[in-house]
Amino acid sequence: MAISGLGGGSVFTRLAQSAPGLKGSALLSNITSVTIGAQAAGQNELIVSGIEKQIQRLQGFNPNISEPQSRRLAEARAEIQQIERNQSPAGLSERLEKRRIQLFEESYKILGKRYVDIDSNPKLKAIQDKIDKLLEPPLRGEKQARLERLRKLEQNYQRQFFRNPKNESNIRQLTNTTRQIASLVPPRLFNELSPAERREYDALAKQGNDIAGTEVFLSSQTQIKIESLQRTIGRFTG
């Protein structure tokens, strides 16, 4: 799970969807026009758009991009999605991974921010892993036991995969186990963390940002502001 300046891809996705033919507010229009009329629906869209721009600024992005830039983001986003659909449990080929990084770098440049590939930097990856662990919900009893069993299975399937990467049955089992782990320990919201946990996160975020030389990890205070704005959007979109 990524807690980076991209915010899990939300800014990139929203701005890409603002390109012609990919209106991110289409679903909102369909819902609200039925209940409160097209004019009010348009007003809600403006409010949601304004809140989304606040989120983008908090994440360090420039939301005021031109229409050609928006179209280019949509094209890059579509190509990234196509690349990631071809990803195996072992990852992407060197060629596709290089292309994926190029597309993210181009997209971030359009959005006014420098892209940092966390996975390619062992120090940043170690910090991200610590953050992911910190954000895991505390489990006890049977849930904790199940998580431990699933992680052992995952490790076993991973070893089998590297011995025989063409074993489709093992790939399906690995994918299914990974999904079960993700559903069992979804990351907590930042407003659910204790003050001590927020301090621990902020220390990790500062360490990561110092290593990267740019803002890769947002502060817990900024993350909480974003969560609040996202809840406000939820009230408008149902």
Side-chain angles (χ1 to χ4, degrees):
M1 184 206 63
I3 305 294
S4 67
L6 184 60
S10 58
V11 170
F12 178 76
T13 299
R14 279 197 293 271
L15 287 180
Q17 286 177 334
S18 69
L22 287 169
K23 294 295 184 183
S25 59
L27 180 59
L28 173 64
S29 297
N30 291 339
I31 294 172
T32 53
S33 62
V34 172
T35 56
I36 56 178
Q39 183 177 359
Q43 291 173 348
N44 278 358
E45 287 185 31
L46 288 174
I47 293 170
V48 169
S49 176
I51 296 172
E52 287 178 341
K53 286 185 177 182
Q54 289 183 56
I55 291 174
Q56 291 154 15
R57 291 189 185 95
L58 286 169
Q59 291 172 318
F61 294 102
N62 173 23
N64 300 313
I65 61 175
S66 67
E67 188 170 321
Q69 288 175 319
S70 183
R71 284 198 298 269
R72 179 55 196 147
L73 280 177
E75 293 168 355
R77 172 176 171 264
E79 187 175 347
I80 289 170
Q81 289 177 329
Q82 181 59 43
I83 289 172
E84 292 181 342
R85 278 194 288 268
N86 295 325
Q87 183 167 329
S88 74
L92 295 169
S93 68
E94 184 177 347
R95 180 183 65 83
L96 287 177
E97 181 59 28
K98 183 178 180 180
R99 178 57 179 162
R100 177 178 174 274
I101 290 173
Q102 287 175 340
L103 290 166
F104 272 119
E105 287 175 342
E106 180 186 359
S107 301
Y108 267 61
K109 187 175 182 179
I110 290 172
L111 296 169
K113 193 168 182 177
R114 180 163 71 87
Y115 175 70
V116 176
D117 182 24
I118 293 175
D119 289 339
S120 68
N121 186 315
K123 291 183 179 179
L124 288 178
K125 182 62 168 63
I127 289 172
Q128 180 68 73
D129 289 343
K130 290 178 181 178
I131 289 174
D132 289 347
K133 184 66 176 176
L134 176 65
L135 296 180
E136 282 187 3
L139 299 181
R140 296 180 179 82
E142 175 54 32
K143 284 189 175 181
Q144 178 62 33
R146 182 176 173 229
L147 177 62
E148 292 172 0
R149 290 195 298 269
L150 286 170
R151 282 184 166 154
K152 287 179 181 178
L153 281 173
E154 183 182 41
Q155 291 174 357
N156 183 47
Y157 292 141
Q158 287 172 343
R159 285 192 294 268
Q160 292 181 44
F161 173 80
F162 287 111
R163 286 197 296 266
N164 183 7
K166 295 183 179 180
N167 187 326
E168 293 185 3
S169 174
N170 182 67
I171 290 174
R172 286 195 297 271
Q173 290 171 318
L174 174 57
T175 302
N176 181 55
T177 302
T178 301
R179 286 174 178 168
Q180 288 185 63
I181 291 172
S183 67
L184 196 59
V185 284
R188 290 180 291 168
L189 296 174
F190 280 82
N191 65 15
E192 296 173 336
L193 301 182
S194 69
E197 288 172 326
R198 291 176 194 170
R199 287 193 296 272
E200 182 180 352
Y201 167 81
D202 284 330
L204 289 168
K206 182 180 185 305
Q207 184 181 352
N209 292 339
D210 288 344
I211 292 171
T214 189
E215 185 183 58
V216 178
F217 304 98
L218 304 177
S219 70
S220 62
Q221 183 179 13
T222 300
Q223 295 279 17
I224 289 171
K225 288 179 181 178
I226 290 171
E227 289 171 356
S228 176
L229 290 169
Q230 288 170 336
R231 286 194 299 273
T232 302
I233 290 175
R235 290 196 288 271
F236 283 98
T237 61

